[in-house]
Amino acid sequence: MSTDAAAFATLRQIADLVSAYGEVEITDRQVSLALPPTAEQHEVARRLGSRLSAQLPRLHPELAVRPSPVVEDPGPGRRYRPDLVVGEAPGPMLLVVEVVSAAGPARDCDAKVRDYAAMGFLNYLLVDPREGTGIVYSQPGYSSREKFAFGDTITVGPWTLDTSGLPSYGPDPA
């Protein structure tokens, strides 16, 4: 579903007003507050960012791993703050990384798969510390989906990542 430019501009104005209360995302013509990352989420993203950054000088010396940037695309009418991004608009957006939150995984596992593909990210690395697993989405429209478990060595675009040592969330206290 795409959003016309005027509607997206209005959504951005609302998002700017609401941003005083936290991180704001826009999807499906709705503005919503995103949960702040937990310490565990941040640590998983930090470790992945470090492992990706170590490979950039050899693979893509012109790029950097950017933690928590705002990415938006008025075409599909989306605005997110992923955990990591490799790429720079207007160039190729090589990779987006989301670490699933313990409290609100639905958007990361469903809507963002569709939206990041529409936004032009070549690869989407979805990391789920709740279960110690993840999925690498690639190819046009994320038609290729490779599941992995923490401890596996995975290929994400031009990168090879060792996922051992990534922290999982503890047992649900409920």
Side-chain angles (χ1 to χ4, degrees):
M1 170 188 319
S2 65
T3 302
D4 66 63
F8 187 71
T10 300
L11 290 170
R12 284 198 73 229
Q13 288 176 336
I14 294 167
D16 290 343
L17 292 171
V18 176
S19 67
Y21 301 100
E23 296 301 330
V24 179
E25 296 185 332
I26 300 171
T27 187
D28 298 326
R29 297 182 182 177
Q30 296 179 348
V31 174
S32 60
L33 285 172
L35 295 170
T38 63
E40 293 87 356
Q41 269 180 281
H42 180 74
E43 182 60 17
V44 171
R46 187 196 67 74
R47 290 183 190 189
L48 288 170
S50 176
R51 292 170 192 182
L52 287 164
S53 292
Q55 297 178 53
L56 283 178
R58 180 175 51 86
L59 298 170
H60 290 282
E62 74 283 8
L63 298 177
V65 176
R66 296 184 298 138
S68 301
V70 171
V71 296
E72 65 178 43
D73 188 342
R78 305 294 189 252
R79 176 182 175 163
Y80 291 119
R81 186 178 290 274
D83 293 297
L84 299 168
V85 168
V86 179
E88 193 71 49
M93 301 301 281
L94 300 179
L95 175 64
V96 62
V97 178
E98 288 284 359
V99 179
V100 175
S101 75
R107 188 175 297 159
D108 293 337
C109 299
D110 297 322
K112 289 182 182 178
V113 174
R114 172 198 70 218
D115 294 342
Y116 286 145
M119 293 171 80
F121 284 96
L122 300 178
N123 301 283
Y124 176 24
L125 176 58
L126 179 63
V127 181
D128 191 346
R130 297 172 307 153
E131 302 291 330
T133 61
I135 303 173
V136 176
Y137 295 91
S138 59
Q139 303 300 321
Y142 298 159
S143 58
S144 174
R145 299 170 183 200
E146 298 292 328
K147 294 182 179 184
F148 65 91
F150 285 14
D152 293 347
T153 298
I154 61 173
T155 300
V156 183
W159 299 280
T160 300
L161 293 174
D162 179 359
T163 63
S164 58
L166 294 179
S168 295
Y169 300 147
D172 187 359

